Amino acid sequence: MAGLIPEETIAKVRNNVNIVNVISQYVSLEKKGKDFVGLCPFHEEKTPSFTVSEGKQFFKCFGCGKGGNVFSFLMYKENLTFPESVQKVADFAHIDIGEYSSQKPKFSNILIKINEEAADFYHRVLISTNAGKPGYNYAEKRGLNPEIISHFRIGYAPKQNNLLLTYLRGQNFKDEDLIKSGLFVQSQNGELFDRFRERLMFPLSNEGDYVVGFSGRRLAKDKTEAKYINSPETEIFTKSKTLFHFAEAKKAARSEKHLILYEGYMDVIAAYKAGIKSGIASMGTSLTDQQVYMLRRITNNIIINYDGDDPGIHAEERATRMFNQVGGFNLGIVVLPEKLDPDEYVKKYGAEKYQDEVKGALTPTDFFLKRLKQKYNLANDREKLAYLDEAMKEIAQLSNPVEQDLYLNKIAKEQGVAQDSLKVNLTKYRRQQNQAKRHQGYPEQEQGKSYNYSDPPIDKAQKQEVNDPIQTRLLYLFIHSKHAQEYLLAHQFLFPDSKYQRLAELWLNFSENQENPTVNSFLDFIPSELQGIIVNAEMTNMPQDFSDREIDEQINALNMRKINIKLQHLMNDLQDAKRKTDTDEILDITRKILQLKRIQG
């Protein structure tokens, strides 16, 4: 599995990288005892079942079953080959692996190769060709300086209809792959044309920072064309699962302590110019459940800053409801004055003022109450009563009694009413909400408590590894103790399960041919379908001490299990024989059953 890279180079990378630091790029991890836990990046869940062992340098999800070392993680997460994962970890740790760095491409997926080549092509056109002048002039007008253009890999698609096509064909890409890339449209007679023409190009990257698609901003004055067009969905690009600038922003989230959600790419770029690196945007569409989950894995501190116009405020309200429905978020909402979007605000008032707006983000309740106030004329008693009634309905949804008291007190002072009178209405609406939940089949939510509803079921196909505690213990001893290994071999022990037996044989071969064999390095040389067994053994708190008697007892337990299985089969055969009234068969089976029961003792 190690491919072209020598084991000593792989070991150098493995031994100089902390798996916690690498996985923290994808998952927000929290220290729990000796280990770190977080939400699994391989399946959706609300309660963390993903564990990373810093001491053993392994990860394991006890929900979906995936596990392995730092290389396995990137192979799963980024769909990389083993050599590619070694290179990516080496790059992360700034480790020079010499000539092997250039022996393999950065990525093996052909569609990613095409999109990466296209990103480089569009970028070169923008910054270094006459054909890119219209794009560069527009970029300058929008305040995009060379540093920003370089950081975001912004490019330009000229007006010609086959410029990119000609270039990529010249790079020996096949038409069948070019069609799948989403970069081209095909006429009825099968001819290919560049999809993006006369547009400023924004590369869209996946979580591993590989380009998987594009968004093109129209420069032509023809308003019959869409202002922005995105790549169509392909094998590597799904709009609902992609966030602009996410790969970069999630790194910045560790220092800035939050992610900021924007409506558009230019807003993310404006925030970046203002010194905010943790900005992200959805793909020109409404926020999706998948994107909310992606954010939850990185941090629960989310600030929403959509455009300040009415559609933007409505979108903020919808997004806030989505985050609240999932739960577990610490939300902030920024509403910019004068109906400005972030890009416009930064240009008008500057970076420092904008950062002040972010620091002053509203809580969701403040945001909703502020919206509510705008619906009513509070100088009119009738409308004030209606406002107070709706405000109590909003506050009744809060599960934290301290938060409820805070807003009750705030509204009472603002509107000149007694807090106790507001509490009467609050209690009424909480009762109504609890009754509605019971009617819908939810457990009643007691005041001050919140309930986490169960995670979606895991597909059994995801749990590939066998997990037999007895065989796992014996395999652990076989690998970690030379004495246990020799004892089992001397007794001609064979693991009943072929996967365990295969691992024992692979370990013997591996340990004989390696100067310093370790379990972590062993993982890189065994098939992926066997890795889960090893990770289970390593992530379980196995006692280091053992005795020959314990091994004998474990072997005996496996033998007893075999006997029990045989007995069950014989009991079934006996029932069949009795139905047929086959006396000879009944006697023969009964004799076998008695023999096995004597062995059982």
Side-chain angles (χ1 to χ4, degrees):
M1 285 183 69
L4 298 173
I5 307 176
E7 169 55 26
E8 58 266 24
T9 304
I10 297 168
K12 176 184 174 183
V13 175
R14 187 193 304 112
N15 296 336
N16 285 279
V17 173
N18 187 336
I19 191 172
V20 174
N21 295 335
V22 175
I23 293 181
S24 292
Q25 303 286 317
Y26 301 82
V27 181
S28 177
L29 297 174
E30 182 182 349
K31 189 84 184 283
K32 287 286 178 77
K34 293 186 297 182
D35 297 331
F36 292 80
V37 298
L39 294 171
C40 180
F42 305 116
H43 79 283
E44 292 191 18
E45 61 180 7
K46 293 180 182 177
T47 51
S49 61
F50 183 83
T51 302
V52 182
S53 169
E54 187 172 31
K56 296 177 179 177
Q57 293 291 295
F58 284 117
F59 74 91
K60 171 72 179 177
C61 176
F62 294 95
C64 69
K66 278 191 168 64
N69 62 11
V70 67
F71 303 134
S72 310
F73 179 84
L74 289 174
M75 289 168 73
Y76 284 131
K77 191 72 188 100
E78 303 290 352
N79 196 26
L80 302 178
T81 63
F82 180 77
E84 290 165 0
S85 71
V86 174
Q87 289 170 24
K88 181 140 188 172
V89 175
D91 290 343
F92 171 83
H94 306 293
I95 297 171
D96 181 11
I97 57 174
E99 59 180 312
Y100 300 99
S101 295
S102 58
Q103 283 201 11
K104 279 280 199 175
K106 186 181 176 187
F107 26 71
S108 55
N109 187 300
I110 190 67
L111 299 188
I112 290 180
K113 285 183 185 180
I114 291 170
N115 277 274
E116 282 278 348
E117 284 283 355
D120 288 341
F121 174 80
Y122 287 139
H123 185 63
R124 287 197 302 272
V125 168
L126 178 71
I127 64 173
S128 61
T129 70
N130 286 329
K133 286 284 186 187
Y136 201 86
N137 292 338
Y138 174 81
E140 281 188 320
K141 285 180 187 176
R142 293 300 303 265
L144 303 179
N145 58 37
E147 181 195 347
I148 292 295
I149 288 171
S150 175
H151 178 81
F152 288 91
R153 295 178 73 182
I154 297 169
Y156 180 64
K159 198 171 183 179
Q160 295 92 322
N161 63 13
N162 62 359
L163 205 62
L164 179 66
L165 178 66
T166 302
Y167 171 75
L168 290 177
R169 280 175 171 167
Q171 300 296 308
N172 297 318
F173 289 109
K174 299 176 182 176
D175 277 12
E176 60 191 75
D177 294 321
L178 296 178
I179 292 168
K180 293 177 185 176
S181 73
L183 291 167
F184 305 95
V185 291
Q186 192 171 23
S187 66
Q188 288 185 342
N189 64 5
E191 194 174 356
L192 296 183
F193 299 94
D194 291 4
R195 178 179 298 276
F196 299 99
R197 297 193 293 276
E198 208 172 354
R199 290 180 179 271
L200 197 68
M201 300 297 289
F202 296 88
L204 308 175
S205 299
N206 64 10
E207 202 170 341
D209 209 15
Y210 302 139
V211 178
V212 293
F214 292 86
S215 184
R217 205 285 184 195
R218 184 192 72 222
L219 265 63
K221 294 179 180 178
D222 182 3
K223 294 190 177 179
T224 60
E225 293 186 20
K227 187 175 180 181
Y228 281 94
I229 61 171
N230 291 333
S231 292
E233 297 210 343
T234 65
E235 293 173 20
I236 59 171
F237 175 58
T238 306
K239 282 193 291 187
S240 64
K241 297 178 181 177
T242 308
L243 289 163
F244 179 68
H245 200 236
F246 186 53
E248 287 288 329
K250 66 184 182 181
K251 298 173 188 174
R254 290 199 297 279
S255 57
E256 297 185 16
K257 309 300 182 188
H258 56 233
L259 287 168
I260 305 183
L261 181 62
Y262 296 101
E263 273 192 275
Y265 315 127
M266 292 305 298
D267 296 327
V268 172
I269 292 170
Y272 189 89
K273 287 165 63 181
I276 292 172
K277 317 297 186 189
S278 58
I280 49 175
S282 53
M283 300 291 102
T285 57
S286 297
L287 190 68
T288 66
D289 290 336
Q290 293 97 325
Q291 289 165 341
V292 170
Y293 175 72
M294 287 168 66
L295 301 182
R296 182 68 183 85
R297 278 196 288 105
I298 303 304
T299 178
N300 63 348
N301 297 320
I302 304 294
I303 294 174
I304 307 170
N305 183 193
Y306 287 170
D307 295 355
D309 57 11
D310 290 339
I313 299 297
H314 284 300
E316 273 189 323
E317 187 171 342
R318 177 187 175 275
T320 301
R321 299 286 187 199
M322 284 182 69
F323 282 113
N324 283 343
Q325 188 172 8
V326 171
F329 285 96
N330 176 27
L331 284 181
I333 296 95
V334 176
V335 181
L336 296 175
E338 303 171 43
K339 298 189 175 182
L340 297 175
D341 64 34
D343 186 28
E344 294 166 336
Y345 187 94
V346 170
K347 285 175 181 171
K348 186 170 183 178
Y349 293 105
E352 192 174 339
K353 277 275 191 184
Y354 177 68
Q355 290 197 359
D356 289 341
E357 293 284 354
V358 171
K359 290 173 186 173
L362 302 171
T363 67
T365 305
D366 265 329
F367 170 68
F368 286 125
L369 291 177
K370 190 174 181 179
R371 293 269 292 145
L372 206 54
K373 278 183 191 177
Q374 294 168 356
K375 289 172 56 179
Y376 297 100
N377 174 12
L378 298 180
N380 179 292
D381 286 346
R382 181 176 58 83
E383 292 205 32
K384 181 191 280 191
L385 287 170
Y387 161 72
L388 290 171
D389 195 54
E390 279 207 59
M392 289 310 100
K393 288 179 183 176
E394 188 67 44
I395 295 172
Q397 297 177 44
L398 300 173
S399 60
N400 186 335
V402 175
E403 200 175 359
Q404 285 180 9
D405 280 349
L406 176 70
Y407 288 108
L408 278 175
N409 187 46
K410 191 173 183 178
I411 291 173
K413 284 180 179 177
E414 280 179 356
Q415 303 306 322
V417 295
Q419 188 171 343
D420 287 343
S421 63
L422 293 178
K423 274 188 176 177
V424 173
N425 277 359
L426 178 68
T427 304
K428 177 181 75 173
Y429 288 126
R430 283 195 63 75
R431 191 179 299 118
Q432 287 178 3
Q433 287 175 12
N434 287 334
Q435 286 172 350
K437 284 175 183 173
R438 283 200 301 273
H439 182 69
Q440 293 168 8
Y442 293 110
E444 184 173 347
Q445 191 167 346
E446 297 175 30
Q447 187 161 333
K449 293 185 179 179
S450 60
Y451 291 87
N452 285 320
Y453 299 107
S454 60
D455 296 328
I458 302 296
D459 185 345
K460 287 181 182 177
Q462 289 181 273
K463 293 193 174 184
Q464 297 178 355
E465 82 280 358
V466 181
N467 186 13
D468 181 340
I470 297 175
Q471 293 189 80
T472 298
R473 173 62 173 162
L474 287 174
L475 182 64
Y476 180 87
L477 294 176
F478 188 89
I479 289 172
H480 285 274
S481 167
K482 193 68 177 174
H483 173 78
Q485 183 184 114
E486 290 171 352
Y487 188 85
L488 288 165
L489 291 172
H491 285 73
Q492 299 182 324
F493 172 78
L494 295 176
F495 288 91
D497 189 288
S498 60
K499 288 185 177 181
Y500 283 87
Q501 182 58 31
R502 175 74 177 135
L503 280 168
E505 292 165 0
L506 286 170
W507 174 256
L508 279 175
N509 182 57
F510 177 77
S511 58
E512 286 170 5
N513 290 289
Q514 296 292 318
E515 190 174 338
N516 295 302
T518 66
V519 178
N520 207 315
S521 59
F522 178 53
L523 210 67
D524 299 329
F525 285 83
I526 61 175
S528 57
E529 65 270 18
L530 299 180
Q531 291 180 6
I533 297 172
I534 296 295
V535 175
N536 270 339
E538 295 302 311
M539 294 291 280
T540 306
N541 289 322
M542 291 273 186
Q544 298 293 319
D545 296 333
F546 71 97
S547 63
D548 292 350
R549 180 178 177 182
E550 182 200 342
I551 295 176
D552 291 338
E553 287 172 350
Q554 300 281 18
I555 294 172
N556 187 55
L558 289 175
N559 290 334
M560 289 300 105
R561 185 191 293 171
K562 285 183 193 175
I563 290 172
N564 288 334
I565 292 169
K566 285 180 183 178
L567 277 172
Q568 187 59 54
H569 289 317
L570 287 171
M571 294 300 290
N572 292 336
D573 291 342
L574 184 60
Q575 293 301 318
D576 289 339
K578 286 179 177 179
R579 277 195 297 272
K580 298 172 188 173
T581 62
D582 186 336
T583 306
D584 291 339
E585 185 73 9
I586 290 170
L587 289 172
D588 184 53
I589 293 171
T590 302
R591 179 178 53 78
K592 291 176 180 176
I593 290 173
L594 290 172
Q595 285 176 343
L596 290 176
K597 286 193 172 182
R598 275 196 292 272
I599 295 172
Q600 277 186 323

